[in-house]
Amino acid sequence: MLRIRLTAALALGVFLSTPIWAHHGHDHSAPPVPPPVAVPPPVVQIPVPVVRPPVVTFQLPVISPPTVILPTDTAGMHSGPDASKFQQLPSSPLTKEALAALTAPDSRYQFTGEWLPFSSQYSASVPGNSPYRPVALLSNDGSLKQGRLEHVEQPKPTASAFMPTTQASFTKVNDKHLALHSGAILVRTGNVPVFASTQVKGEKVLTRIAGGALAMVSAFDDKATVLNLTDKCCGALVMYMPSKDANRQHSVGIKPGQIAEVYAPDDKPVSNLVATKIDVNERIGHDYGLVVAQCHYVRALKKFNLTPVLAKQDLDRVLKTAAAIACVRR
């Protein structure tokens, strides 16, 4: 009996130990495998083209070395092409003593202080220099009771007038044209433009002055020099110079604050002594020289003795122009 029980127990143990009948309380079968996910192809990013600005090449004008020297130039004389035809300035730098002597007041520029009309029809419309008039209060017996000076506003001139130097020689061609033989004149234009002409070695140099301008025209040393102190419009001053062609002339506009000079080939310019920068330096006509420079106002007013002869309203205009030009050109 015991043997039968042991055999039955052994058979039951073998049966229960078989894995197919084992039960652990949970299903441990392998999880289902999900289908593979399709990977999208990579997107190729096209780079944005870089737009570069166009390359601009500026063609600057070729300027030959100047053949005149400025008082502020410390490099001495610069020689230009064919400069042997023109008398050059010394090549050594200017000392303070030499600069002071060259820019000192010129005794030849002694203006009379009296404005003369271009036309005799407007002689009464030319105002005087003094902005004051005497005012007196007399008593009954005619004696002076009280006297004083009263400030009056000068009327704006409607006619063109000029002020010559004491030794100037000139001829009135007509009511709008003055031929200056020697010396210098100050020109103050009104509503009508006027003309001032000079001679340089027999060649005529004509200057048109308009636009309420205040200018100086000089004929010293057989040179034609024009200084534009101030004006009211563009193109107020135009200088007409000799040309190689008999029936043609060169012309150049003179802006406020500029000084222009026409000189002969056997001479040398002097306007550069009151200049800060040379704008034009070339030969014209029959080897005549032309220099257009930016004027140094303080030096010009001193050298040409202009401050004592300009009325307050004229001097104020000049100083305002000088301040405006200095602000723009700095």
Side-chain angles (χ1 to χ4, degrees), residues 224-276:
T225 305
V226 178
L227 170 61
N228 187 357
L229 293 169
T230 183
D231 61 35
K232 291 184 178 180
C233 69
C234 299
L237 266 72
V238 181
M239 177 185 282
Y240 301 92
M241 299 155 290
S243 173
K244 293 182 180 180
D245 300 333
N247 298 326
R248 299 184 62 183
Q249 283 185 319
H250 293 289
S251 64
V252 60
I254 307 174
K255 301 177 183 179
Q258 283 187 334
I259 182 169
E261 180 181 5
V262 178
Y263 60 98
D266 57 347
D267 209 336
K268 61 182 179 180
V270 296
S271 60
N272 54 298
L273 299 178
V274 293
T276 59

Side-chain angles (χ1 to χ4, degrees), residues 21-44:
W21 300 105
H23 180 70
H24 301 283
H26 297 284
D27 187 6
H28 295 279
S29 60
V33 179
V37 180
V39 179
V43 180
V44 179

Side-chain angles (χ1 to χ4, degrees), residues 153-176:
E153 293 293 334
Q154 295 187 11
K156 294 183 178 180
T158 57
S160 299
F162 68 96
M163 180 191 301
T165 54
T166 55
Q167 302 297 327
S169 175
F170 56 88
T171 302
K172 283 189 176 182
V173 180
N174 51 45
D175 288 345
K176 298 180 181 179

Side-chain angles (χ1 to χ4, degrees), residues 287-301:
D287 289 335
Y288 284 85
L290 169 66
V291 173
V292 181
Q294 296 179 12
C295 176
H296 190 292
Y297 267 94
V298 176
R299 194 176 296 150
L301 293 175

Side-chain angles (χ1 to χ4, degrees), residues 91-162:
S91 58
S92 59
L94 295 175
T95 62
K96 292 183 178 180
E97 293 76 11
L99 176 61
L102 291 174
T103 59
D106 194 334
S107 59
R108 298 175 301 176
Y109 290 87
Q110 296 294 334
F111 292 93
T112 60
E114 180 182 2
W115 290 99
L116 304 176
F118 271 80
S119 174
S120 58
Q121 300 177 1
Y122 297 97
S123 59
S125 63
V126 180
N129 288 332
S130 176
Y132 300 95
R133 66 180 180 184
V135 177
L137 180 62
L138 302 178
S139 59
N140 294 331
D141 56 356
S143 60
L144 180 62
K145 184 177 181 181
Q146 184 180 2
R148 69 178 188 275
L149 290 176
E150 185 180 59
H151 183 272
V152 294
E153 293 293 334
Q154 295 187 11
K156 294 183 178 180
T158 57
S160 299
F162 68 96

